[in-house]
């Protein structure tokens, strides 16, 4: 599966952004999808994940309550809606996909090594 992330940009603190991750080659209904981010000099950080059906979501502690992840199977696209953005949210954001072979894939949803496919990053810069 090929992933194409978009939607990043410059936004003021307190503002909102919606990131998109369009997939081609395979239907996302067979994949756990996630967003990670990486700021300069920092480790890759789990942001959010959504189950194969789109019915179950999970979030990293640093974004909980401010982000929503959604999967549109018809459009084969995953979205990350971010609100009340802070300067600490400044990073490159990456979407990732993991083929759902068994329940262990979901249990490892926060681990970047769980994901086989990655899109290119989209940069988010939050100005204070």
């Amino acid at each position: 599966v090929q992933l194409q992330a978009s939607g990043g940009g410059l936004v003021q603190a307190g503002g909102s952004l919606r990131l998109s991750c369009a997939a081609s080659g395979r239907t996302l209904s067979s994949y756990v999808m996630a967003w990670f981010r990486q700021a300069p000099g920092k480790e890759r950080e789990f942001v959010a994940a959504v189950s194969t059906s789109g019915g179950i979501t999970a979030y990293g502690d640093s974004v909980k309550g401010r982000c929503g992840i959604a999967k549109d199977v018809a459009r084969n696209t995953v979205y990350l809606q971010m609100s009340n953005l802070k300067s600490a949210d400044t990073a490159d954001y990456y979407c990732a996909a993991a083929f759902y072979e068994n329940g262990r894939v979901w249990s490892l949803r926060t681990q970047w090594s769980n994901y086989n496919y990655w899109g290119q990053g989209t940069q988010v810069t939050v100005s204070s």
Side-chain angles (χ1 to χ4, degrees):
V1 60
Q2 292 80 45
L3 305 175
Q4 180 76 33
S6 62
L10 175 63
V11 63
Q12 287 189 332
S16 300
L17 270 181
R18 188 178 78 159
L19 306 184
S20 299
C21 177
S24 59
R26 292 286 189 274
T27 174
L28 291 186
S29 60
S30 299
Y31 291 82
V32 170
M33 300 296 297
W35 288 93
F36 287 78
R37 67 185 183 186
Q38 189 165 22
K42 294 190 176 182
E43 293 187 354
R44 201 173 317 186
E45 178 188 13
F46 170 74
V47 177
V50 60
S51 64
T52 52
S53 67
I56 305 173
T57 57
Y59 299 94
D61 289 340
S62 60
V63 302
K64 204 169 290 183
R66 300 189 296 118
C67 281
I69 186 171
K71 177 187 284 187
D72 186 335
V73 175
R75 288 186 167 84
N76 226 29
T77 300
V78 173
Y79 302 99
L80 182 70
Q81 179 70 46
M82 301 188 293
S83 59
N84 191 21
L85 285 162
K86 307 174 182 179
S87 57
D89 295 317
T90 295
D92 289 327
Y93 284 70
Y94 299 88
C95 62
F99 183 71
Y100 188 85
E101 295 183 64
N102 53 55
R104 191 166 183 266
V105 174
W106 180 251
S107 68
L108 297 175
R109 58 192 175 273
T110 66
Q111 307 299 313
W112 65 265
S113 58
N114 186 48
Y115 296 88
N116 314 98
Y117 305 96
W118 292 83
Q120 88 294 356
T122 185
Q123 189 174 50
V124 173
T125 302
V126 183
S127 63
S128 55

